[in-house]
Amino acid sequence: MLLYGNSMTRGGPQLSGLSLPLLLLIFAIAAAAVWIAGIQLSNQTDVLSTRLHLGAALGGLVLLAIATNLPEIAITTSAALSNNIGVAVGNILGGIAIQTVVLVALDAFGIRGRRPLTYQAASLVLVLEGVLVVAVLGVVVAGSQLPSSLKVWRLTPASVLIGVLWVVGLLLLKRAGTSLPWHESGEAPDNQDAPRGHSQQTTEQSATKKGVSTARSAIIFGISALVTLVAGVVLERSGDSIASHVGLSGVLFGATVLAAATSLPELSTGLTSVRNGDYQLAVSDIFGGNAFLPVLFLLATLLSGQAVLPRAQDTDIYLTAVGALLTLVYVVGLIFRPQRRIARMGVDSLVVLLLYLLSVGGLFTIALT
């Protein structure tokens, strides 16, 4: 089993020599930086998306998806360049599962009222976004079975297909968001009052009142993105050494603690959207980010020059299946719209939470055998 403690081979001996308490402090500071920068990324994305007329669907699925996944981009880049492919794969696939669990937190701590998140966010567009996530994960599973020698110009068929599928999916979703040939354009009755993306306009109006120009917003976005990238690398390097200290495998650490830390931007942006009553945008940000994460396999393949997906371990495929299953639970919730709340969350969120906890137990069983 690949261990996380390989910083000596990745140019990070200065972190491996630090004590465990200091490493934990560094990890916590980096996580806090990701949280704070994530809030700014969300706010400036709203401003830029509105002023540049990107639209709620395109802005949420492209700009915010990339922005909130900057920690994963940084970790994947660092791991690929240092030939630590196992960390890159585990971070991408583990991130999908735990980012889906972020919806549980939004449902439990962000929703006000008697009806759960999926009831108020329900629309066919979100169902299609969830289907896109599952489709991309299906290609991940298929691509992991291809021979590693199947590579042309530093590209593999599966990584290219994932990128193409993501782009085509975005185009279809953008079209569905404006002209879906269903009654009420696929909107469920009695869902959120204001149209999807209204919180973006509210944020932009607030920035305008404060005199924030588009140029200043772009600068803040760039600085926040840089902070997120640097903090992501620090998270990976310090997490590497922490896992080495406690003897935890890279897959387990990457899929749990590291994935949770890198999901902080999604949590912060989601809570903002939910508390502003923009439930659809909150769900869209999670599904959009999850559909984007496997595209990083294309980045990892280009940077490392290796066929990344065929090197996926059993635990990676396991995490892929978990991510698809959790997504499907929420897709069903968006269709059936359960109204009952248990422990402050909808039935679908409770099922997702239980499935995730069981899956983590199964992950430990697989990794330790």
Side-chain angles (χ1 to χ4, degrees), residues 16-28:
S16 62
L18 300 178
S19 65
L20 182 59
L22 184 55
L23 287 170
L24 291 172
L25 178 62
I26 293 174
F27 188 89

Side-chain angles (χ1 to χ4, degrees), residues 140-163:
V140 169
V141 174
S144 68
Q145 303 305 304
L146 294 175
S148 57
S149 59
L150 192 59
K151 181 181 60 175
V152 179
W153 298 330
R154 299 176 71 94
L155 295 173
T156 58
S159 61
V160 172
L161 180 57
I162 288 172

Side-chain angles (χ1 to χ4, degrees), residues 57-82:
L58 187 59
L61 288 174
V62 179
L63 189 57
L64 189 58
I66 294 175
T68 55
N69 282 296
L70 282 172
E72 287 84 0
I73 294 173
I75 291 172
T76 300
T77 300
S78 175
L81 289 175
S82 58

